[in-house]
Amino acid sequence: MDRLFITDTFDAWTDAALGWISDKGEWLFDSLRAVLEGTYDGVLWLLQLAPFYVIAIIGALLGWRLINAMAGILAGLALIFCAVMGLWTETMSTLALVTTATILALVVGIPTGIVAGFVKSFDRVLEPVLDLIQTLPPYIYLLPAIALLGYGPATALVATVIVAMPPAIRLTSLGIRMTPHEFIELGQASGLTPWQMFIKIRLPFAIPSVMAGINQSLMMAFGMVVIAGIVGSGGLGETIYTAVRTLDIATSINAAIAIVILTMVLDRLTQSAAHRAERGGR
């Protein structure tokens, strides 16, 4: 009975706290929702500005430049296949959601990782927080976001940003700490200021690890695509969610193939960029 009473009390306190935050901070969450949805709409408008074959050509050129000619051809054909399946609009919506969420995650994650790389005490405090974020089921982040922001892309973006941040923070922090000690001593002996030390020595050594963090953040964002469809995020995730609810197997398979194509193309491109950065840092 005591345990049941404590549980009920905690649940009631949580509901009351969430209701209070929602009421008192309504103007803040409305503004946040407007900013997030405006950013998403801007990225989506930019992606939809060009016809599908132009985006496919850009993907092919990037694949050729970053990997090789065969990879470029396959990337272009894979993107065209998304249009052939009649899912180009949904594919671009998904790409806009993932791109926006990844950029926001990196804007927060990379500076936080840099600070964690320099300040060991902050890194020790941050580690269990990141462990908790990566351990909890992704659905957990959707529930309070729905309560505060409602259904739509804004809620999907918040949940995706939370999930995508930890790899960027961890790998940026690791990259900062990986700077060889002899190079730090050389910089100190040369009379470099802390800022010059960071720009000329620490950052070049950290770039490969930072690029790997960008790749992992992107993959984590893609992992939220289908889950985010539950809250009306649009794109392929919502297409799959709707198809599953209506038992439209063909549509769900097509949308899943489009997600796999988009994920593989971006994964290979960012991996190749990370390898180039690593070779350039040596």
Side-chain angles (χ1 to χ4, degrees):
M1 290 295 293
D2 291 340
R3 185 164 54 184
L4 182 62
F5 173 76
I6 293 173
T7 302
D8 290 342
T9 302
F10 178 77
D11 291 344
W13 180 86
T14 302
D15 291 339
L18 193 60
W20 183 86
I21 293 173
S22 179
D23 292 338
K24 300 298 182 181
E26 183 177 1
W27 63 272
L28 176 63
F29 295 115
D30 286 346
S31 301
L32 179 61
R33 180 188 177 97
V35 170
L36 291 174
E37 291 187 350
T39 304
Y40 166 77
D41 290 339
V43 174
L44 180 59
W45 173 83
L46 187 62
L47 289 173
Q48 292 181 335
L49 194 61
F52 75 90
Y53 52 83
V54 173
I55 302 295
I57 290 172
I58 292 173
L61 291 174
L62 287 173
W64 168 67
R65 181 68 180 85
L66 293 174
I67 309 175
N68 54 46
M70 181 57 69
I73 293 171
L74 291 175
L77 291 176
L79 291 174
I80 290 174
F81 187 63
C82 293
V84 171
M85 290 189 294
L87 292 171
W88 185 252
T89 300
E90 291 81 1
T91 300
M92 289 300 98
S93 296
T94 297
L95 181 57
L97 177 67
V98 170
T99 301
T100 305
T102 302
I103 291 173
L104 293 174
L106 296 178
V107 166
V108 176
I110 291 178
T112 304
I114 291 173
V115 174
F118 279 107
V119 184
K120 292 183 179 180
S121 57
F122 178 62
D123 184 61
R124 286 194 294 268
V125 172
L126 199 59
E127 276 296 321
V129 175
L130 297 179
D131 290 339
L132 180 64
I133 291 174
Q134 293 184 297
T135 302
L136 290 174
Y139 290 97
I140 295 296
Y141 308 120
L142 291 174
L143 299 178
I146 291 172
L148 299 175
L149 298 172
Y151 284 86
T155 295
L157 280 172
V158 168
T160 306
V161 167
I162 293 172
V163 170
M165 272 196 304
I169 296 174
R170 289 184 189 275
L171 289 170
T172 301
S173 176
L174 176 64
I176 295 296
R177 295 196 304 269
M178 282 174 56
T179 307
H181 189 65
E182 55 268 23
F183 282 88
I184 296 177
E185 290 180 343
L186 178 63
Q188 292 172 342
S190 301
L192 296 180
T193 64
W195 176 250
Q196 291 173 328
M197 182 85 74
F198 172 71
I199 294 296
K200 296 182 177 181
I201 297 179
R202 287 189 179 272
L203 189 58
F205 279 103
I207 282 178
S209 184
V210 172
M211 291 297 297
I214 293 173
N215 174 263
Q216 291 302 306
S217 292
L218 190 63
M219 294 303 101
M220 294 299 293
F222 267 113
M224 280 292 294
V225 165
V226 177
I227 298 173
I230 298 174
V231 297
S233 63
L236 295 168
E238 187 170 352
T239 300
I240 291 177
Y241 179 64
T242 303
V244 169
R245 289 180 58 193
T246 58
L247 296 179
D248 188 352
I249 306 301
T251 300
S252 65
I253 292 175
N254 290 341
I257 291 173
I259 289 178
V260 170
I261 288 173
L262 200 56
T263 304
M264 289 183 64
V265 169
L266 292 181
D267 179 45
R268 296 300 183 270
L269 292 178
T270 53
Q271 275 192 19
S272 181
H275 292 156
R276 282 174 172 263
E278 186 175 0
R279 289 195 297 269
R282 290 176 179 175

